[in-house]
Amino acid sequence: MSGTIHLSPPDVGPLEESYVVAALRSGWVAPVGPDLDAFEREVATRVGTRGAVAVSSGTAALHLALLGVGVGPGDAVIVPTLTFVATANAVRYAGARPVFVDCDPHSGNVDVALVDELIRALVLRGQRVGAVVPVDLFGSCADHTALAPVCAAAGVPVVEDAAEALGATHHGRPAGSFGQVGILSFNGNKIMTTSGGGMLVSDDTALLARARFLSTQAREPTPHYEHRETGYNYRLSNLLAALGRAQLVRLDGMIARRRHLRDQYAKLFAPIPGVRLLGVEDPGSNCWLTTIAVDPERAGWRAADLAAHLAGRDIESRPVWKPMHLQPAYADAECLVTGVAERLFADGLALPSGSALNERQVGLVLAAVDEFLVARTGASTA
C-alpha cells in the first residue's frame, strides 16, 4: 500500500472476510447461489422496492434499466450533463442518444425546470423521449418531488441513477425507489462495495424478470442451451454478493463516519468567504463525497490551488465531473445548458471522504486544508 490518502478507498474488514470465506467454502462460486439471492432481497428491503437484480456493474444495471422501460434506437434520453460518463454510455448501449441538461447550482443535481423545458421542446419536434435519467449526485438525491410530476405529465419514464446514493433519502424515501426503476453501484469507491457490481431495484417485477433474463445471456428455460435473442453476461457472482451482504450490515456505520467527516469540513470552511459545500443542507445525503464549490473572486484562490496543495502532501482530491457536453465522445450531442455545470467543473473539488480513513489520516487531511487556508486568508480556521 502507498502512503497516499485516497478519496474514497474500499472499507472492508473481518466481517467481509468471514462472509466471503463462508461463501467460498459453500462451493457457490459462480454467478448463482444463496448469497446472491439473499443480497438481492436485503438490498430491495433496504431501498423499499418489491425486488432487485444484481449485476456486474452499475453501468450494466443502467443498460438493462433503459431497455426495461422500452428505450430503443432513435430515442432521446435526457441525462444531466454533470455526471460520470457511464450514465451517457448506457444510453448509447441501448441505441438511443443522450440529450444533456444542466444542473442546479446549489446541489449539482439536475435542474428540473430545464428538464420540463427540454421535454416540451423535443416533443414539439416530434422526437420520442424514451426516458429521463436523474442522477443522485455525490450521494444527495435529485429533487424527485419536483421531477416526478414533470415526467408523469409527459408520459416519460424515470430511470433513477442512484449509483452514488445507496443509503441516502429524499423526504424520508430511500434513493433508488424513485421512478419506474433505479440502479445502484457497488464499485470500489462507492459508499459500499462488492469490488465491482451493481443492482436494479424496482416495484415492476416484470421489468426485473426481463432484466434477470437478459443478464444471463437470455438463456431460455430449457434443458439444453436455447437462445432466441441476444443477451448479456451481466450477472453478479455469489462470492461478490457475499461481500456485499457484509457491507450492507455495516452501511449505516459507514455513512455515519462520512457524515462526521463532512461536518468537520463544514466547520473548517464555514468562515471562508466564497466557499460552500455542495448539498450540505441535505439531511438525507449519504455524504459519499464531500465536494466544495469555490468562487475565486471572493475566495482569492481556485479549487485547483487547493488540489495542488493537497497533492503535494500525497492527498488525493478530484475535480467535479467534466460535463458530458464538453467530452469529446459527446461533442455532437444536443444539450440545454446554462453554464452552471461548467462553473462547477472549473471550481469544484471533491475531498477525501471515505469511511475507511483512520483518525490519523483524517487529521492529516484537515491539517493540510487548514494550512492552505491559513496561507490564503492569513488566519487560522481551526
Side-chain angles (χ1 to χ4, degrees):
M1 296 288 286
S2 72
T4 302
I5 297 177
H6 292 286
L7 201 68
S8 182
D11 184 355
V12 296
L15 186 66
E16 287 78 5
E17 181 179 355
S18 67
Y19 272 62
V20 172
V21 168
L24 186 64
R25 289 174 177 168
S26 76
W28 292 98
V29 296
V32 62
D35 284 293
L36 186 56
D37 297 339
F39 187 41
E40 289 177 340
R41 289 195 304 271
E42 291 161 1
V43 171
T45 298
R46 174 73 192 221
V47 175
T49 56
R50 294 181 66 184
V53 176
V55 292
S56 56
S57 70
T59 312
L62 269 172
H63 182 198
L64 295 177
L66 290 166
L67 295 178
V69 300
V71 169
D75 286 351
V77 175
I78 296 177
V79 173
T81 192
L82 195 65
T83 185
F84 180 56
V85 71
T87 318
N89 285 347
V91 174
R92 284 193 169 165
Y93 297 167
R97 65 181 184 93
V99 181
F100 299 114
V101 65
D102 219 314
C103 61
D104 172 82
H106 302 290
S107 67
N109 276 312
V110 67
D111 185 323
V112 176
L114 290 182
V115 172
D116 190 13
E117 180 182 339
L118 188 53
I119 290 176
R120 293 173 188 274
L122 290 167
V123 171
L124 192 63
R125 287 179 3 218
Q127 173 69 62
R128 179 182 136 80
V129 182
V132 172
V133 187
V135 177
D136 298 329
L137 198 73
F138 298 136
S140 285
C141 286
D143 187 355
H144 295 287
T145 300
L147 181 65
V150 167
C151 295
V156 177
V158 172
V159 173
E160 183 190 359
D161 183 345
E164 305 164 7
L166 177 60
T169 58
H170 173 67
H171 293 178
R173 182 172 165 181
S177 67
F178 300 93
Q180 188 171 344
V181 57
I183 73 93
L184 306 168
S185 171
F186 309 123
N187 193 23
N189 66 350
K190 292 299 189 296
I191 193 86
M192 60 166 264
T193 185
T194 58
S195 74
M199 194 170 287
L200 295 92
V201 286
S202 179
D203 290 331
D204 187 336
T205 53
L207 184 154
L208 292 175
R210 174 69 177 166
R212 191 183 306 276
F213 171 71
L214 289 176
S215 73
T216 51
Q217 303 282 24
R219 181 184 174 185
E220 298 291 338
T222 60
H224 60 279
Y225 288 107
E226 181 81 9
H227 306 274
R228 298 177 181 171
E229 57 186 305
T230 303
Y232 308 92
N233 185 15
Y234 279 172
R235 201 75 169 113
L236 188 72
S237 85
N238 190 68
L239 282 180
L240 298 186
L243 173 57
R245 294 186 69 197
Q247 288 270 278
L248 195 58
V249 169
R250 298 180 50 228
L251 177 60
D252 287 328
M254 293 191 288
I255 292 173
R257 281 192 58 80
R258 288 179 189 256
R259 187 175 305 284
H260 178 61
L261 181 52
R262 174 167 297 188
D263 290 345
Q264 293 181 82
Y265 281 131
K267 182 179 178 183
L268 199 57
F269 285 108
I272 307 301
V275 181
R276 59 190 175 87
L277 274 61
L278 281 186
V280 70
E281 69 283 355
D282 177 11
S285 173
N286 70 4
C287 302
W288 174 53
L289 289 184
T290 292
T291 302
I292 59 169
V294 180
D295 178 343
E297 291 189 4
R298 293 184 60 208
W301 50 275
R302 307 196 72 114
D305 298 327
L306 176 56
H309 176 83
L310 295 176
R313 283 142 188 80
D314 218 5
I315 297 171
E316 182 186 21
S317 61
R318 187 173 298 164
V320 169
W321 308 122
K322 182 177 181 179
M324 289 298 104
H325 71 276
L326 299 181
Q327 296 285 357
Y330 289 99
D332 60 346
E334 184 177 354
C335 60
L336 178 59
V337 295
T338 58
V340 172
E342 293 181 28
R343 287 195 291 275
L344 288 174
F345 170 57
D347 277 300
L349 190 70
L351 300 168
S353 306
S355 57
L357 299 178
N358 59 40
E359 291 305 313
R360 183 187 70 83
Q361 291 172 317
V362 169
L364 288 173
V365 172
L366 296 176
V369 173
D370 184 60
E371 179 186 28
F372 174 85
L373 296 176
V374 168
R376 294 301 180 128
T377 67
S380 176
T381 60

